[in-house]
Each structure stands twice: as structure tokens, then as C-alpha cells.
Amino acid sequence: MLAYLVIREGTKWTDVFRLTPGRTVTIGRGSTNEIVVKDERCSRNHAEVFLTSGEWTIRDLDSRNGTIVRGEAIHGDHSLSPGDVVRIAHCQMAFVHDLSKAFVDVEEEPPNPDGRETVSGAVYIGLSDSHVLDSFEPTHITHRRNQTKFLERKFDVDVASVPKVGQAATKLCRLAFELANQTDVIAVANLSLDGVFEGTNVDAGAMLVGPRNDDATPTHDILEVVASRTDGDARYHRVSEFLASMVLRDGEAVLARNIEGDSALSIRDSKGLFVASSVICAPIRQGKRVFGLLHMYGTSADKTLDADDLEFTLAVADNVALALKNLEAKQELTENLTQTRSEVRQLRQQLGVESELVGSSPQIMQVQKEVGRAAPSRATVLIRGESGVGKELVARAVHYSSPRKKGPFVCLNCAALSESLLESELFGHERGAFTGATERKVGKFEAADQGTLMLDEIGEMSPTIQSKFLRVLEGHPFERVGGSQQIKVDVRVIAATNRDLEKAVGEGSFRRDLYFRLHVVDINIPPLRRRPGDTLELASHFLERFNEETGRKLLGFTPVAMEIMERYRWPGNIRELKNVIERAVLLAQGDYIDTEDLTLTNLATASESGEMVLSARNIYEPASLADIERKHIESTLKSTDWNKSKTSDILGIERSTLDRKIKRYELKRPS
């Protein structure tokens, strides 16, 4: 149902606003309204018009001076009927379904009750100035939903009323639209031939194309007939070498008529009879390079090709060149997109492998549970564990299990850089900030924006960097070294360390406030010797991986080799195991990795647990299990300076259990 608001100001009709179902039209003095009334008596948001339950309704928005409909002030919602006149301040609006009935006499606006002179204003539609009409005539509006009829095949041009140029332009418009939607070269060729046959007097022709990936101009011999067409049963006859060479060389379209007597241009069948009276050859070109031809000819003397046919064929050839160029670009884009998707898929698979936590022991299962709990949040994560236990893998697992998995994952080892270089790596630097700073450098914080930044060996960070680092963690902006621009990023930080941060805080080498800021989610990774059940599983994982990388086909480990790997203490943890397996895969002589292929060290473990290491000579000393347990608990307590929480974590027992054992064995802290 069509509905309109015809707007009148003073004695003149000034504009028409069409009401659309589903759209609320706002009226007011504010510039954000659809109908803007520039009058101080009009409220900023005065009224609104909308369709509800099949009726157009006007609602007064608690305006200061009210909304008048048919001479009466309304309150809240009021249904509009055709012919209703709405008055807001000095502006009057007639509501109609038929514009021809809009021009009725409207009552003059009464003077202000306080006797003040009416402030003149203006009505604006859609934030643009209205054109004030001295004499308003009914508007005729035509609505068109589907595509233009000029693009429809069934549309016939009235030859008597449209000149020949207009007919050709209509056909070319439709042809260009259809060519742009084709998906292969053959479809483009067939469609172009249909267009030429429709727009000219030709009755035979073909599209010939040479290589498009070669910069050289193709010759007559290598042109390939992509598609051909003839009217009737006659077959298409290929363009002569003379005509093709001339068009390919000069890049100009050629029309030749009365060619029966010209041996260079004439077209004959297998019996030597002339089959064409006139011929057109148009270049298919991109820039100055010609890579194809449209070869068309007429076989009837009654339909001689003329200059208009030449122009039309050349226009089709240029449209074909553009369609082929777009098709080639689309195919290249598709290929690049497919290749990019494949590379992304491979990279994600690689990252998934690198982020996979291998193992099925209760300890590693507990780590995976903690990762699952920590990943969805934005909280800072502190990962603890000895060197080589896989702290970075756990950090990757947290990142790729979090909502930030599509963002970057950036790692930085704080122990590998000096204080000045670490500051530059973290926050970046400007050109000329220091000697050697020849260009601007983006820091790790900026690189990890919308992603995750992992800082390994966080305990090695100097106090100065700790202070600046803490400010960024608290959400404050930072500046590049040598710069003044404030930079704010959205980064989740994962810190990792193999140091005792509590001890470092007590010694004053690590800031207490930074420790509490990092110590939000704490994930402890047990060393490999604490989860011996994972040793063989990890060894098999690395064996399969290095078999694939090196091309070896080792079948596994000998029983003796597996026993040695299970008994070994692995002071270097998973990193050491990985290197041992890699070396064994490279040097193993048989089908199975044996003891002589395993290069194990005599180094003691790097743990601070003070655990007892068995004698290398394996000398038996009679002792009860209680004695061994007492000695082990005592040595562990001593190494932790009687930190019972840490001791219970190392021993893998509850704090209450540790207290009971201390009491049972009468262990006392030395004075």
C-alpha cells in the first residue's frame, strides 16, 4: 500500500515523502530525523510515523508544543486516514494514498498565543535542502523491481522507433552483461558468436585464440578455433593466412567486400568454389597485444556486410577481450586462494602437532585439564617447570584452545637478550633511537596484538624492564624506545620460568607486585622423571616423526633399550629425549634402536628437589622402605628450606600427608 506525506509550508507545497512499510519515519528539529523541521517550536525528536496492524500511525514523542491532527492535539498513538493533515509548529503534512488528492485547502496556522511573531523556518527531507516549488503538480512514480528489460533476451527493439545505433547499443549492453557471467573460454566464444550473428548480417564465423601467457603475438598457424558457427548445413572455413597475419600484426579490424576475385582474401570450399562475398576480421586485444580474432563472413550476396557490421563486430571483440581478461584474473585468484588455503591448512596442522601434548600419565592429564580451564579466559598464565619439559608447548596449547587462536602467537626468551635489547624487542624502537637503529622496529607487544605473547624465562628480566612490563600488563599504553607515540594493544601474556619466583621475590630480584600480577593461573609441568609412563610414548612419537623427516623406516626399540629409557632420569627432560631419539634415528644400523644407539649422559638432574640419585655403581645397601622414605622426605625439605607446600608438590602428596609423615619420622627443622 502506497502512502505519502505531502509537506506544506505557508502557502506552498514543498516536498513529498514516501512512507515505506517496516520503516519508521522520524520528525523533529534534530538533524538525524528523516523529516527535519527547522522551527524552535518543534522538539528535537517530535513525532514518528509507522505502519502497525495494517494502519499508518503517528505517535507524539512527548513533544513540548504537541502534534495537531485534523485540528486536535493528539497524545500517544493516533491512526491516520487519507486526507488527514498533521501540523507540527509551522509545518503541515497531508497524509494520502493518492497524490492527486493531496492538494486540498489547509487551514492557516494560527498566531502564537503570546502574540510573538512566528519564526520562519524550512523543512528538509533526508538531511538535504528541499526544492521549494511555486506550483506543485501531482508526481508520477514508477516502481521497477527486476533487472532492466534491455538485458532480457526476449526483449525486441521496435525497429521503426529506434535508430540502428540504439539497437546495436542495446544488444551490446546485454551481451557485455552476459559475457561477464561466463565461467570458461568456450562459453565466452559461443556467446560472442551468438551476439555477432544477432547484430550483423553474417552467416558464418568463428573465434580463434592463441596462447595468452606468451608476450609474443601469435601467428596464424597456432591460432586455435575455440568455437565456430554457420547458418545451415555448411561448415566453417578458416580465415586466410594473409588476412589473419594482417590483423594480428596491425591490430586493426578489417572489412573486405567483393572478395571472390582476390586470391589472398577469398574463401573457397574443398571443391574450389567461393563461399563468401564479404568478410570481417576483428582483433581480440589487450592493450597493444593481439592474442585472438573474431573471423566472420557472409555467404549471400544479398546480405553484404557494411561498416556498421564492422563496428559491431569490433565492439564484440573488445568485450570478449575484457571478459577473457576478467576470467583469467578470476581463475588466478581462485588458484591463489586454493593454494593459500592449502598452505594455511598445512601450517595449522604443523602448529597443531607442535602444540600437541603427548602423554597419558595422570600428571600430563592434569596439565591438560589446567590448560582447558585456563584457555577460555583472558587471565595471565604462569607456567613453571624445569628446562626442557615443554613450557612453550603448553603455552601454544593454551593459545590455540582460546578465543584468540586466530590471532598471532609470539614467543620471546627474556634470558637471551641484554636489558637494552630486551626493551627494544618487547616495545620496539624508532629510527635513530640508538646506534644501529636505522629503521623503525615493531616490538613483540605490537606484533602480538589480538593474540598471545609468551615470555620465557621471565625470572631473568631486569627490574627496570619489569616496571615497564608491569604497566603494560595493567592495561596502560607504552611508547617505543626513542618515540613519543602512545601505543595500546590487546595482548594476553603467558609467562614461563624454571626459577623459584617466590625465592627471587624474597631476595628482591623480582618485583612483588609483578609476581602477583603474573600469578593468576599457575600451571606446573612435572619433569619427565616424575611421569615415567610417558617416556616410551614420547619416544615412539619422536621416532615416527624423525622417520618421516629422514626417510628412515626404523620399526621401534629393543626391549633393553626401552628398559634403559624408563630407568634413566632424563636431566634434560623432553628436550633431551627428543635429541637422543633424533641422533638414534640418524645413526642406527639395524631395524630397531638398541642400547648402543642411545647416547645418555651421567649428568645429575637440574631439579631443586634434592631427590636421592642412586649410586652409579648400583651398590646395594640394606634399608627398609620407611628409612628410604624418611631420608628422601628429609632431603627434600632441606632443599626447599622447609617449604612444605613446595615439598608436597615435589613429592606428589597432600600437605596434610606430609605433616603426618614429618610427625611420624620425628623430622625437625634445623635451627
Side-chain angles (χ1 to χ4, degrees):
M1 180 186 298
L2 298 179
Y4 304 90
L5 285 178
V6 184
I7 302 172
R8 173 171 174 166
E9 184 182 2
T11 60
K12 297 179 181 179
W13 297 102
T14 58
D15 219 324
V16 176
F17 194 93
R18 181 187 174 194
L19 302 176
T20 304
R23 176 183 173 187
T24 299
V25 178
T26 59
I27 307 171
R29 183 162 45 87
S31 59
T32 57
N33 293 285
E34 277 84 0
I35 300 179
V36 181
V37 180
K38 296 294 185 180
D39 191 303
E40 66 177 11
R41 291 172 295 168
C42 178
S43 300
R44 180 171 296 276
N45 297 296
H46 197 102
E48 59 185 14
V49 180
F50 54 91
L51 185 67
T52 177
S53 301
E55 293 185 341
W56 284 100
T57 303
I58 184 169
R59 174 183 293 165
D60 184 79
L61 301 176
D62 297 327
S63 61
R64 182 179 58 193
N65 294 312
T67 301
I68 310 298
V69 179
R70 285 190 174 271
E72 296 182 1
I74 65 170
H75 301 281
D77 294 355
H78 182 83
S79 298
L80 293 174
S81 301
D84 283 353
V85 176
V86 179
R87 192 177 77 236
I88 296 176
H90 73 282
C91 176
Q92 300 178 57
M93 290 166 276
F95 173 78
V96 295
H97 292 313
D98 185 354
L99 286 176
S100 63
K101 299 178 181 180
F103 309 99
V104 296
D105 292 336
V106 181
E107 61 180 89
E108 291 298 326
E109 184 178 4
N112 289 328
D114 57 1
R116 290 187 296 108
E117 182 181 355
T118 300
V119 179
S120 61
V123 179
Y124 297 90
I125 305 298
L127 307 183
S128 62
D129 291 348
S130 298
H131 178 64
V132 180
L133 305 178
D134 293 331
S135 59
F136 197 100
E137 296 182 358
T139 301
H140 298 282
I141 299 176
T142 301
H143 299 279
R144 189 72 170 88
R145 183 180 299 277
N146 298 321
Q147 68 177 14
T148 172
K149 61 184 180 181
F150 295 123
L151 297 180
E152 299 176 0
R153 279 280 178 187
K154 62 183 180 181
F155 172 69
D156 295 324
V157 179
D158 186 356
V159 178
S161 60
V162 181
K164 189 173 182 181
V165 174
Q167 299 175 36
T170 301
K171 293 174 182 177
L172 286 173
C173 174
R174 183 174 63 239
L175 180 62
F177 181 80
E178 294 175 345
L179 284 173
N181 292 320
Q182 303 309 306
T183 57
D184 58 77
V185 178
I186 296 178
V188 170
N190 286 321
L191 191 61
S192 64
L193 293 179
D194 292 343
V196 176
F197 272 71
E198 181 183 355
T200 66
N201 289 323
V202 303
D203 43 31
M207 174 175 151
L208 300 88
V209 175
R212 280 179 288 162
N213 54 359
D214 189 357
D215 293 335
T217 301
T219 61
H220 171 266
D221 297 335
I222 64 174
L223 286 177
E224 178 184 354
V225 178
V226 179
S228 62
R229 174 179 166 182
T230 59
D231 285 344
D233 298 331
R235 69 179 183 86
Y236 164 75
H237 295 275
R238 189 180 174 92
V239 63
S240 67
E241 182 177 358
F242 173 78
L243 181 58
S245 300
M246 178 169 56
V247 175
L248 290 171
R249 181 187 66 250
D250 300 334
E252 297 178 352
V254 174
L255 165 65
R257 291 179 287 189
N258 303 320
I259 61 175
E260 292 86 349
D262 193 326
S263 59
L265 297 175
S266 61
I267 302 175
R268 301 171 183 265
D269 60 14
S270 58
K271 298 179 181 179
L273 300 176
F274 294 106
V275 297
S277 60
S278 52
V279 61
I280 291 175
C281 193
I284 301 174
R285 57 201 173 189
Q286 290 180 359
K288 295 182 179 180
R289 179 177 173 270
V290 180
F291 64 89
L293 302 173
L294 275 183
H295 174 231
M296 318 300 297
Y297 56 86
T299 60
S300 173
D302 298 334
K303 295 183 179 180
T304 304
L305 304 181
D306 57 19
D308 289 336
D309 295 327
L310 176 64
E311 291 294 332
F312 189 88
T313 305
L314 181 58
V316 172
D318 288 340
N319 275 291
V320 167
L322 183 60
L324 293 179
K325 181 179 180 181
N326 293 337
L327 183 59
E328 186 176 1
K330 187 185 299 182
Q331 291 173 344
E332 184 178 356
L333 268 174
T334 303
E335 293 173 358
N336 291 340
L337 181 60
T338 302
Q339 181 180 357
T340 302
R341 284 176 175 170
S342 177
E343 292 174 353
V344 168
R345 186 165 52 251
Q346 293 175 4
L347 287 173
R348 284 180 175 172
Q349 289 174 352
Q350 293 174 8
L351 288 172
V353 171
E354 290 296 327
S355 301
E356 182 181 357
L357 300 178
V358 179
S360 56
S361 65
Q363 294 89 340
I364 201 66
M365 291 294 102
Q366 180 62 29
V367 171
Q368 291 182 348
K369 288 181 182 178
E370 293 174 358
V371 167
R373 288 195 294 264
S377 70
R378 297 170 51 91
T380 305
V381 179
L382 178 61
I383 302 175
R384 301 174 187 253
E386 296 179 10
S387 178
V389 294
K391 295 188 289 293
E392 183 176 338
L393 292 184
V394 173
R396 286 183 181 274
V398 172
H399 172 73
Y400 288 106
S401 301
S402 73
R404 296 172 175 261
K405 60 184 177 182
K406 293 184 178 180
F409 178 78
V410 180
C411 294
L412 179 64
N413 190 332
C414 299
L417 302 169
S418 64
E419 179 178 328
S420 58
L421 288 178
L422 179 58
E423 183 180 12
S424 173
E425 284 293 322
L426 279 175
F427 308 110
H429 63 251
E430 298 288 348
R431 180 179 179 181
F434 50 83
T435 304
T438 57
E439 58 184 12
R440 172 186 288 180
K441 177 182 176 62
V442 173
K444 300 299 184 186
F445 267 107
E446 287 183 79
D449 191 24
Q450 304 298 320
T452 303
L453 173 62
M454 181 205 173
L455 297 177
D456 200 3
E457 306 297 348
I458 190 73
E460 306 297 328
M461 187 180 288
S462 68
T464 303
I465 305 298
Q466 289 178 31
S467 176
K468 191 172 183 180
F469 175 57
L470 177 61
R471 281 189 54 82
V472 180
L473 279 183
E474 296 291 350
H476 297 286
F478 62 91
E479 300 173 357
R480 299 189 188 98
V481 177
S484 57
Q485 178 185 357
Q486 295 286 311
I487 302 170
K488 190 175 180 62
V489 293
D490 178 14
V491 174
R492 181 183 190 176
V493 172
I494 298 178
T497 183
N498 61 2
R499 291 185 57 187
D500 185 346
L501 289 186
E502 290 82 1
K503 185 178 179 180
V505 170
E507 295 173 348
S509 60
F510 199 82
R511 291 179 62 104
R512 180 181 296 269
D513 48 2
L514 177 57
Y515 167 78
F516 289 118
R517 186 62 182 82
L518 293 175
H519 196 254
V520 179
V521 178
D522 200 335
I523 299 178
N524 284 284
I525 308 176
L528 187 55
R529 60 185 169 277
R530 295 295 185 196
R531 46 190 179 103
D534 292 337
T535 303
L536 294 183
E537 189 173 347
L538 283 163
S540 298
H541 169 76
F542 290 131
L543 174 61
E544 181 181 353
R545 174 176 171 180
F546 293 125
N547 265 340
E548 183 178 351
E549 290 183 4
T550 61
R552 300 292 303 272
K553 297 181 179 179
L554 297 177
L555 303 178
F557 304 91
T558 64
V560 179
M562 289 191 288
E563 182 181 356
I564 288 178
M565 286 192 294
E566 285 188 307
R567 285 205 320 252
Y568 184 62
R569 307 300 291 171
W570 299 108
N573 290 294
I574 300 173
R575 182 184 292 118
E576 181 186 4
L577 174 61
K578 174 185 173 183
N579 295 336
V580 167
I581 301 302
E582 182 177 13
R583 181 181 183 281
V585 169
L586 292 173
L587 302 180
Q589 299 298 319
D591 293 333
Y592 291 86
I593 294 178
D594 207 345
T595 54
E596 60 267 17
D597 302 318
L598 300 175
T599 305
L600 305 177
T601 69
N602 293 323
L603 294 175
T605 61
S607 170
E608 297 94 12
S609 66
E611 63 181 328
M612 293 194 307
V613 181
L614 295 179
S615 171
R617 292 179 292 179
N618 199 19
I619 300 175
Y620 172 72
E621 297 180 2
S624 66
L625 290 176
D627 290 338
I628 294 177
E629 185 179 49
R630 182 184 60 78
K631 291 180 180 178
H632 186 54
I633 293 175
E634 185 177 22
S635 61
T636 305
L637 285 167
K638 182 179 179 182
S639 67
T640 61
D641 197 20
W642 274 73
N643 186 323
K644 293 183 181 181
S645 297
K646 188 170 183 180
T647 301
S648 59
D649 288 341
I650 294 172
L651 296 176
I653 59 178
E654 297 293 333
R655 171 72 178 266
S656 58
T657 303
L658 176 62
D659 289 334
R660 288 198 303 269
K661 291 183 180 293
I662 291 175
K663 184 176 181 181
R664 179 194 307 169
Y665 297 129
E666 298 180 351
L667 300 177
K668 297 185 183 291
R669 183 171 185 171
S671 58

